Amino acid sequence: MTDQVENSEQEPLSKIDTSVPHSARIWNYWLGGKDNYEVDRAAGDAFREIFPGIETGARAARYFLARAVRHLAEEEGIRQFLDIGTGLPNVDNTHQIAQRVAPESRIVYVDNDPLVLAHARALLTSTPEGVTNYVDADLRKPSTIVREAGKTLDFGQPVALMLMGILGHIEDHDEARSIVSQLVDALPPGSYLVQYDSTDTSEDYVRAIGQYNDGGSIPYILRSPEQIARYFDGLELLEPGVTSCSRWRPDAEALGLPAEVHQYGGVALKR
């Protein structure tokens, strides 16, 4: 049994490329995490030299996730969450926030990054009343995601679909919108889409992303707030709509953050 556990952890770790920086590990570094390598820290520092506001934006996006999950669990009665592109574990992950409000909540995380897979054991914790599961799948295969998530979630009941900072990795905007549409189509009425991505609203941010993309990493495409709003087509946006993450229903957690960051997102209901 011990050998099987060790092998299951070594296999994904052996697939990790530490010769080029990776967005999930850089994001982890900006948020103060330890699941990163020197190549990621160097890339993160170089990015910050051009765009010093990146760490503030990362925190604002994280607090947006927390507020959105808490609102959906407390105010909207959502008990199922499908978090795609979850990234590396951090403080207050989706399952922890949701199950703190409603212990019976069921959460499925989806990612295909080997380091995230290696750390899945940290995510796969749950209250006795609820369920937390992990699916190894690519965002570009929404039918696979829905099929595998359906082993844990009941798609006859409302689900919160969460796409947090992941759609920028889909270079073609029409393809990204198609992926969102396919995923939303699989959800029943009463479900919600929670989404944010980084925007092209800062010249320094655009320059920093250009340098990052030139470094051999999987490219990340900055989009306009208007392009991000298109992901919510056909859905009913909750107030205040698509906005800077720090402006979305700020609470005590957002104290000290600027009113405007360059990560924009929103929460919308499927009727």
Side-chain angles (χ1 to χ4, degrees):
M1 178 65 72
T2 301
D3 290 341
Q4 291 176 348
V5 172
E6 288 178 352
N7 290 338
S8 69
E9 293 180 3
Q10 290 170 0
E11 183 177 355
L13 285 172
S14 68
K15 298 178 181 178
I16 297 171
D17 184 357
T18 60
S19 66
V20 295
H22 189 282
S23 62
R25 302 193 308 249
I26 297 172
W27 204 255
N28 175 267
Y29 171 55
W30 285 331
L31 287 171
K34 301 185 184 302
D35 296 316
N36 48 74
Y37 297 94
E38 178 58 34
V39 66
D40 307 307
R41 295 188 286 273
D45 290 342
F47 195 108
R48 187 171 46 205
E49 285 183 11
I50 299 174
F51 182 64
I54 187 58
E55 289 180 340
T56 300
R59 291 199 309 274
R62 192 71 189 177
Y63 293 149
F64 166 65
L65 179 152
R67 294 196 303 278
V69 171
R70 191 178 304 115
H71 171 80
L72 293 178
E74 284 183 346
E75 305 299 329
E76 309 296 346
I78 297 297
R79 297 294 179 263
Q80 301 189 110
F81 295 82
L82 177 55
D83 188 341
I84 302 176
T86 179
L88 292 162
N90 211 294
V91 176
D92 270 355
N93 299 287
T94 297
H95 72 282
Q96 294 164 318
I97 300 166
Q99 291 183 343
R100 196 176 298 141
V101 175
E104 70 275 21
S105 297
R106 305 172 75 85
I107 295 88
V108 171
Y109 292 105
V110 180
D111 211 301
N112 70 337
D113 178 79
L115 185 60
V116 175
L117 179 60
H119 285 273
R121 61 190 181 277
L123 288 173
L124 293 178
T125 59
S126 177
T127 58
E129 303 93 329
V131 177
T132 303
N133 210 341
Y134 179 90
V135 170
D136 182 6
D138 193 300
L139 175 62
R140 291 178 174 83
K141 298 181 178 179
S143 61
T144 299
I145 291 173
V146 172
R147 183 185 71 242
E148 294 302 312
K151 297 175 181 178
T152 300
L153 305 178
D154 176 5
F155 279 89
Q157 299 296 321
V159 175
L161 168 64
M162 304 181 62
L163 297 166
M164 313 301 281
I166 187 70
L167 292 172
H169 288 300
I170 307 298
E171 294 188 53
D172 183 81
H173 187 233
D174 288 338
E175 181 185 0
R177 289 179 58 206
S178 175
I179 290 170
V180 175
S181 179
Q182 292 176 67
L183 290 167
V184 170
D185 285 348
L187 305 179
S191 295
Y192 288 83
L193 170 63
V194 184
Q195 192 272 332
Y196 89 83
D197 264 300
S198 297
T199 65
D200 59 3
T201 49
S202 162
E203 291 184 5
D204 288 342
Y205 205 167
V206 171
R207 286 199 300 116
I209 281 288
Q211 174 181 277
Y212 169 81
N213 290 345
D214 288 342
S217 302
I218 298 173
Y220 186 92
I221 307 303
L222 298 178
R223 296 195 163 105
S224 69
E226 292 76 19
Q227 286 178 305
I228 290 175
R230 295 302 306 275
Y231 296 135
F232 298 95
D233 283 355
L235 303 176
E236 184 178 306
L237 278 162
L238 304 190
E239 293 294 336
V242 174
T243 186
S244 171
C245 283
S246 56
R247 292 182 184 272
W248 198 90
R249 305 192 179 196
D251 58 15
E253 286 184 330
L255 291 177
L257 290 174
E260 187 74 15
V261 295
H262 299 284
Q263 287 71 30
Y264 273 59
V267 180
L269 167 66
K270 178 180 179 179
R271 288 289 186 186

